[in-house]
Amino acid sequence: MGKPTGFLEYERVSNTWMEPSKRMESFEEFQIPLDEKQRRQQASRCMNCGVPYCQSAIELKGMVTGCPLHNLIPEWNDAIYRGYDKIAFDRLLKVNPFPEFTGRVCPALCEKACLNGLDGQSVSIHDNEKYIIEIAYQKGWMKAQIPTVRTDRKIAIIGSGPAGLSTAYLLNQRGHSVTVYEKEDQPGGLLMYGIPNMKLNKTFVERRIVLLKQEGIKFVCNTEVGKDITRKDLEKEYDAIILCVGSKTPRDLNCKNRNCEGVYFAVDFLTKNTKHLLNDKEAYINTKNKNVVVVGGGDTGNDCVGTCMRHGAKSVIQLEMMPKAPDERLESNPWPEWPKVCKTDYGQQEVIAKFGHDPRIYSTTVKECIAKDGHLKQIKTVQVGFVDGKLTEVKGSEQILDCDVLLIAAGFVGVEKTIKEDFQLECTARNVFKADEKFQTKADKIFVAGDCHRGQSLVVWAIAEGKKAAEMTDKFLMGYSSIQS
Ligand SMILES: Cc1cc2nc3c(=O)[nH]c(=O)nc-3n(C[C@H](O)[C@H](O)[C@H](O)COP(=O)(O)OP(=O)(O)OC[C@H]3O[C@@H](n4cnc5c(N)ncnc54)[C@H](O)[C@@H]3O)c2cc1C
Ligand code: SF4
């Protein structure tokens, strides 16, 4: 169980983040890993609980707590503590096909359920996970695993985000011939175009795609299913089709003069920025010396804030419609439930460091875009609150803010039009594809996984869904499955 007294002897130490002023100089990742001795001490803090909530993914009050992949956390913490990194790697990869992604961007549902967190500081599970996979790449343990036996079954996967990649990885390992269709010019979904480079450097996405290609997965990029190739074409050619197309229709802003120049959706803005980083000939929206307002106080909004800070924006404000969450857990939200608390993420920290104030303004939304010659110059905001369960404007609370660029990060409203119209599948109230417990739609041989099934969620959930869809598709094709999701 690691070191029986580890959690008593050592405080939690997380990977250090570079100072905001330093990290804002570039779009590079800014975490500085611990040295080996410190890492092993951190792993020794794991108590190997009889019931490890960290890997449980149990549902409490409608929300899951613990790792959705059921990562074998106490096992690999113990192996790290003892210096058995190869064993830690083998155990990690047994359930998590993409720890290089979760070890960077997962909000660590595991840590919120860690028993050490009940009366102290949880184990640094997320950072330990990243340590294992990066050591594995450094030592050459992470190699392409080329399947030795092939079946004659052909599978099409639409979309190459974490759900598509995880489904493709497992079905290819099983021996099926897998082709992944992607409308963008590069595979990776939101891992590539969405999540910014400073959170997940794109070389790490590309590094893994190289291995997946060597393993035999075929990627067909720049191909939009529903437009360049249709459901009918795919049905003729493949034994099964798995839709992993995400839930990327952005929620729009319903305000006066919305269509003036200078208003953009967050993912378009972030995508262009990444494309420009990868190829400086690509055009992007530069917010240098601009007054920026981001609508939406969530993670996507924070990624926009961090990106604008790196551009050198003149000012950055983030509007959030909901009131501020408490700083500490409320009694009604005890461990091991997911803590509903206010977190100040990297982008917001950077605004505080540079401008001396938190960028967030709560209980506020945009009422009007004010433009000159068609270009956005200011916005009119208004405070909002719930009256009888209905979101209502507070009379007389309007304010004018200078704003050259308005970024809409107000969430997502389901699957995109092209694929929906081509496939004509039943959708849920959240405008995502409806499927049974086998991840199968009512249409013969069509499965779904990831955000296009559960709605906008997290990378770890997309990977978990991809694994389940792979197992179910395999069963459908072979009558049984050796894939363990
Ligand atoms: C800005 C942003 C930041 C985020 N940050 C985090 C984070 O830090 N941590 C975290 O856990 N989660 C984060 N998320 C959420 C996470 O990225 C998603 O939940 C996850 O990527 C969903 O995976 P997916 O495979 O279902 O879909 P996606 O990643 O959306 O991939 C779907 C893919 O399908 C392709 N596609 C769509 N339609 C077609 C078609 N017709 N033909 C061919 N291809 C098609 C798309 O181009 C895309 O590549 C973030 C989301 C956003 C928007
Ligand atoms: S995938 Fe996420 S929830 Fe699971 S162990 Fe890693 S950091 Fe924790």
Side-chain angles (χ1 to χ4, degrees):
M1 72 161 274
K3 193 170 193 217
T5 54
F7 72 101
L8 295 170
E9 285 177 44
Y10 308 116
E11 291 288 309
R12 175 189 166 113
V13 183
S14 307
N15 287 348
T16 320
W17 286 13
M18 273 181 206
E19 282 301 309
S21 60
K22 189 82 199 134
R23 68 190 193 225
M24 279 189 287
E25 287 172 3
S26 81
F27 282 91
E28 293 306 313
E29 288 186 4
F30 50 80
Q31 284 203 8
I32 306 163
L34 303 183
D35 65 27
E36 189 185 329
K37 187 174 165 213
Q38 282 178 312
R39 176 61 56 215
R40 301 209 190 284
Q41 280 178 356
Q42 288 304 302
S44 82
R45 296 185 69 245
C46 179
M47 300 189 292
N48 196 4
C49 308
V51 179
Y53 280 102
C54 59
Q55 65 182 55
S56 65
I58 48 166
E59 201 177 307
L60 295 171
K61 292 196 203 148
M63 279 178 97
V64 168
T65 186
C67 177
L69 289 165
H70 306 293
N71 250 325
L72 304 171
I73 297 162
E75 288 188 39
W76 41 258
N77 275 333
D78 180 57
I80 298 175
Y81 163 61
R82 291 173 197 282
Y84 300 142
D85 290 344
K86 177 69 170 62
I87 293 178
F89 167 64
D90 290 340
R91 300 308 285 164
L92 175 61
L93 216 61
K94 188 161 174 58
V95 282
N96 185 357
F98 299 109
E100 61 269 70
F101 305 147
T102 50
R104 285 184 166 77
V105 302
C106 186
L109 287 72
C110 52
E111 292 185 11
K112 314 307 181 285
C114 169
L115 186 56
N116 264 321
L118 175 58
D119 195 23
Q121 294 268 294
S122 60
V123 174
S124 55
I125 302 168
H126 172 269
D127 294 353
N128 293 354
E129 182 178 30
K130 183 175 165 197
Y131 163 82
I132 301 169
I133 186 65
E134 287 311 317
I135 279 281
Y137 273 104
Q138 277 169 33
K139 300 226 164 162
W141 301 332
M142 190 65 194
K143 294 192 204 97
Q145 300 158 47
I146 298 158
T148 46
V149 180
R150 285 282 175 196
T151 69
D152 59 356
R153 306 294 201 276
K154 289 173 72 186
I155 299 165
I157 293 170
I158 325 301
S160 63
L165 294 182
S166 121
T167 314
Y169 168 73
L170 288 165
L171 289 169
N172 180 63
Q173 287 299 318
R174 180 77 167 97
H176 305 307
S177 299
V178 175
T179 304
V180 180
Y181 290 90
E182 172 54 57
K183 70 175 173 173
E184 284 290 353
D185 59 354
Q186 300 244 34
L190 287 166
L191 298 169
M192 175 56 81
Y193 295 134
I195 299 178
N197 204 63
M198 53 273 189
K199 260 166 70 175
L200 172 58
N201 192 307
K202 302 313 153 198
T203 55
F204 300 125
V205 182
E206 287 161 353
R207 176 177 74 174
R208 192 57 195 273
I209 299 292
V210 168
L211 294 183
L212 295 172
K213 284 182 181 167
Q214 286 169 2
E215 286 167 358
I217 298 171
K218 194 171 157 207
F219 288 93
V220 182
C221 288
N222 293 312
T223 305
E224 183 168 6
V225 174
K227 193 170 127 211
D228 304 314
I229 180 168
T230 63
R231 170 178 170 175
K232 268 201 183 132
D233 303 326
L234 296 174
E235 278 175 333
K236 266 187 237 148
E237 198 177 334
Y238 294 97
D239 300 300
I241 300 167
I242 310 168
L243 294 169
C244 302
V245 289
S247 160
K248 283 174 64 186
T249 311
R251 177 175 286 113
D252 209 344
L253 202 59
N254 183 13
C255 76
K256 202 170 154 195
N257 208 11
R258 148 70 181 86
N259 289 324
C260 66
E261 197 62 37
V263 184
Y264 307 97
F265 286 118
V267 173
D268 294 344
F269 169 73
L270 294 168
T271 299
K272 285 192 167 84
N273 200 67
T274 301
K275 287 189 173 174
H276 177 74
L277 288 176
L278 297 173
N279 172 5
D280 59 15
K281 289 196 180 65
E282 291 276 348
Y284 73 112
I285 300 145
N286 189 351
T287 61
K288 190 174 170 60
N289 296 330
K290 299 264 167 60
N291 294 305
V292 182
V293 176
V294 179
V295 184
D299 292 346
T300 303
N302 176 66
D303 287 335
C304 292
V305 170
T307 300
C308 296
M309 292 308 287
R310 279 156 184 74
H311 287 164
K314 188 169 162 192
S315 68
V316 183
I317 297 285
Q318 199 178 3
L319 302 181
E320 169 55 53
M321 216 151 66
M322 301 304 284
K324 184 175 179 284
D327 291 322
E328 304 279 338
R329 277 181 188 272
L330 296 179
E331 264 180 39
S332 56
N333 175 217
W335 177 94
E337 285 176 22
W338 174 260
K340 292 176 202 149
V341 293
C342 177
K343 86 173 179 195
T344 300
D345 211 336
Y346 73 98
Q348 290 135 3
Q349 288 177 5
E350 290 160 6
V351 176
I352 294 168
K354 186 162 177 188
F355 298 122
H357 64 86
D358 194 308
R360 289 167 288 189
I361 303 178
Y362 295 94
S363 304
T364 299
T365 190
V366 181
K367 193 167 175 164
E368 183 180 343
C369 292
I370 303 165
K372 195 173 168 204
D373 301 329
H375 289 269
L376 182 67
K377 288 288 163 211
Q378 290 180 314
I379 54 166
K380 187 188 277 180
T381 64
V382 66
Q383 284 176 18
V384 286
F386 285 94
V387 178
D388 299 331
K390 228 181 116 194
L391 202 67
T392 312
E393 289 185 6
V394 178
K395 263 199 188 141
S397 65
E398 285 91 348
Q399 271 199 325
I400 302 291
L401 295 178
D402 287 343
C403 177
D404 310 299
V405 175
L406 183 68
L407 300 173
I408 306 173
F412 300 86
V413 289
V415 291
E416 290 166 298
K417 208 168 148 215
T418 313
I419 195 89
K420 195 175 159 183
E421 285 183 356
D422 183 39
F423 272 69
Q424 294 288 326
L425 298 170
E426 193 181 345
C427 283
T428 68
R430 292 184 75 190
N431 193 29
V432 290
F433 296 128
K434 200 168 183 173
D436 61 18
E437 68 288 352
K438 294 182 184 151
F439 286 66
Q440 198 168 1
T441 64
K442 285 201 176 130
D444 186 36
K445 72 181 186 183
I446 299 179
F447 294 76
V448 295
D451 280 3
C452 72
H453 176 224
R454 61 181 289 126
Q456 263 291 336
S457 182
L458 293 171
V459 168
V460 64
W461 272 114
I463 297 172
E465 289 237 331
K467 286 177 66 181
K468 289 213 173 84
E471 182 185 342
M472 295 305 164
T473 308
D474 190 33
K475 264 189 193 150
F476 168 80
L477 293 173
M478 309 299 282
Y480 71 101
S481 180
S482 54
I483 295 172
Q484 286 180 343
S485 63

